[in-house]
Structures are given as structure tokens and as C-alpha cells.
Amino acid sequence: MIENIGLTLYFFFEALGGAEGFSALERIEIRPWGVDDEDEAVDNSRLHSHSKRFSGLYTGPYFDTTVPTNITTQLGTHAYLPCKVKQLGNKSVSWIRRRDAHILTVDRYTFIADERFQAFHVEASDTWTLQVKYVQARDAGQYECQVSTEPKMSHFVTLNVVVPKIEIMGESDIYVKTGSTVNLKCVITQSLEEPAYIFWYHDGERVLNFDREAKDIRVERVSADTTIGTLIIYSGRREDSGNYTCAPSNLDSASVLLHVLNVLATRVNSNQG
């Protein structure tokens, strides 16, 4: 009987509220039996705690669009692609390479044999970062940060790879007389970062400048994107002839052939002929 009265009141007030465009239950308080003010306060507190999690404009995960979407890095260096997801909850974050739709990472797990790729997440932050070590030219392109909602949510980051230009000034074959001072200049342009080092090799063996009276190696950053490495050979000898290679850190190399000529011997042979 009491239950029937309760149902009758419920439908009566619903009918009134529907006619006015909103529920009359919002204005008239009907409580189940056995619920007092203290119990209701506890329930309201739980409800408030739950709703606070998704307060604001969004009721679930969303991307922070203030993070950079264009990342430029130099060949051979490391690249870091950010993806900031707010209110992620229990969803997963994946990184996908757009050119071949290859899944690179899911959360902290890597799904590609190329160990240069890794995702990491700093605790108490909303950012999932894709790290690409020792960037290659073919790594350039778009990468998708995807959240496992239904439907999926995607945020795109473009990686631009700058490839420095390396050349040794002069001809590919250099001719000098014995006793001459030789300056080989290796010019690196379009370089965002100065090389950590520039090694020189003579016929495959590294050139060292322990004896600076014989050889000297210098490196100079001449502008924001240009570095010059110089190998100086004092009083060139016949045995200094051969292939010389300039090899900057994490970059391609450039080579020249040095010919040290014994001019006196050449003239004698010419006269005998």
C-alpha cells in the first residue's frame, strides 16, 4: 500500500514537471525509507568526488594543444616528440608512424624492432614523449599520438630532419710540393648543433696531433650553422700522400686525395727522358 502511494506521487509529480519543461522532482524532495540526512550527505560527497574527476568542459581524455606540433632536429641527434593528454584515466597512449601505419609504442611498451624508438612518461605529468635516437633522414614525417577511446582520439606531430652538408674545400685531388704546408678545411654547413668532435683519417688511420710541429687539428664555429675543421700538415713529405677523410660526430664524411710531389726528382726524371 505504501509502495503504491509512493509510485502514485512519483508519476503525479513527473506529470506536473513535464508540463512545465523540467522535472518536479527537482523541487520536491522524495527520499527512500530509512535514509536520513547523514546518509544523504555521505552519498552526495561520493557523487561530488566522482564528478570532480571530470569537471570542466571535457568529460574524458583530451589533448593539450599548446604543446609543439613541429619538431626540428639534426641528423644523428635525438628527437623528442611530446603528446600531452589530460584526464587520461585508464586509457592507453600509443605512438604510430604515419608513413607505414606501424605501431611504435603502447604506453611504455615498444612494438618495433628498431631500438631507437622509445616512449616514456614522467610520473605526475600528462605528457607521453616519443624518443627517436640517432635520427636518420628517413625518420622525417608525421607521427600520431593515439588515445584508446571509442572512437580513437589522435594528435599529430611532424618531425623535420635537417641534414648538414659536409665538404672539404678545393678539388678532390690536391697536389703540393714536398716541404709545403697543407691546409685541409672540412666545412660543415646547415648544422643546428656543433659536432661533438671532428676526426681526421689518413688512409683509414686516425690522425693525431701529438706532435704539433708536424700536424695540427683545429675546430671553429664560424656562424650559427657552420663549423670548420682544419687539418694542418707542416712540411709535407711523400709519406703524407694518400686519402684524407673528415668525419664529424654522427654525420657523413668527406674525403680528398693528397699528392705530395718530389719536384726535384720529377725534374731529374724529366731531363733524363
Side-chain angles (χ1 to χ4, degrees):
M1 173 90 178
I2 293 176
E3 291 179 358
N4 292 335
I5 293 173
L7 289 173
T8 302
L9 288 172
Y10 174 82
F11 289 118
F12 172 72
F13 288 125
E14 275 290 282
L16 288 177
E20 296 177 6
F22 61 90
S23 175
L25 290 175
E26 294 179 1
R27 295 176 287 110
I28 300 177
E29 181 182 16
I30 300 179
R31 293 187 195 170
W33 292 102
V35 176
D36 54 22
D37 290 336
E38 184 177 350
D39 292 334
E40 185 181 31
V42 172
D43 289 341
N44 286 339
S45 175
R46 289 174 182 169
L47 180 61
H48 176 72
S49 175
H50 179 72
S51 61
K52 185 177 180 182
R53 224 177 129 194
F54 300 111
S55 62
L57 181 63
Y58 299 95
T59 58
Y62 66 96
F63 294 107
D64 183 343
T65 56
T66 63
V67 298
T69 56
N70 268 284
I71 304 297
T72 300
T73 192
Q74 181 175 299
L75 181 77
T77 61
H78 297 352
Y80 301 91
L81 281 58
C83 180
K84 196 166 188 177
V85 187
K86 299 282 191 178
Q87 297 180 177
L88 180 62
N90 62 353
K91 304 301 181 182
S92 294
V93 176
S94 303
W95 277 101
I96 301 169
R97 187 169 56 198
R98 289 275 287 172
R99 66 177 169 84
D100 57 2
H102 198 304
I103 298 175
L104 304 174
T105 64
V106 177
D107 292 335
R108 290 187 176 90
Y109 299 97
T110 303
F111 288 84
I112 186 171
D114 191 339
E115 296 180 353
R116 297 181 304 117
F117 292 92
Q118 180 184 3
F120 59 88
H121 173 250
V122 178
E123 294 298 335
S125 79
D126 301 315
T127 304
W128 291 84
T129 302
L130 177 67
Q131 180 188 52
V132 186
K133 296 181 179 180
Y134 308 108
V135 170
Q136 302 172 6
R138 61 187 177 88
D139 294 326
Q142 270 197 333
Y143 291 80
E144 177 183 355
C145 174
Q146 188 183 95
V147 178
S148 62
T149 53
E150 287 298 337
K152 300 291 189 295
M153 297 170 54
S154 296
H155 175 75
F156 298 96
V157 181
T158 300
L159 176 62
N160 306 292
V161 179
V162 175
V163 181
K165 182 180 178 182
I166 304 168
E167 63 177 344
I168 297 178
M169 295 178 63
E171 301 294 330
S172 57
D173 285 85
I174 300 174
Y175 297 87
V176 299
K177 297 184 296 183
T178 55
S180 302
T181 297
V182 181
N183 281 274
L184 300 179
K185 290 186 178 293
C186 179
V187 182
I188 305 164
T189 56
Q190 303 174 16
S191 173
L192 300 178
E193 300 181 14
E194 183 176 358
Y197 57 81
I198 298 177
F199 288 160
W200 286 92
Y201 294 89
H202 177 211
D203 290 337
E205 294 187 8
R206 185 179 165 191
V207 178
L208 302 174
N209 58 341
F210 293 143
D211 183 3
R212 295 203 172 185
E213 292 184 359
K215 294 182 178 68
D216 194 12
I217 297 174
R218 302 172 185 174
V219 177
E220 182 183 6
R221 185 75 167 176
V222 296
S223 69
D225 68 345
T226 303
T227 301
I228 298 179
T230 305
L231 170 63
I232 305 173
I233 304 173
Y234 300 105
S235 300
R237 301 170 298 173
R238 290 290 301 274
E239 52 264 37
D240 290 325
S241 297
N243 179 285
Y244 283 85
T245 299
C246 165
S249 60
N250 298 323
L251 297 176
D252 291 333
S253 59
S255 299
V256 294
L257 282 173
L258 175 65
H259 306 270
V260 181
L261 305 178
N262 190 334
V263 178
L264 180 60
T266 303
R267 286 177 179 173
V268 170
N269 291 335
S270 177
N271 292 334
Q272 289 178 349

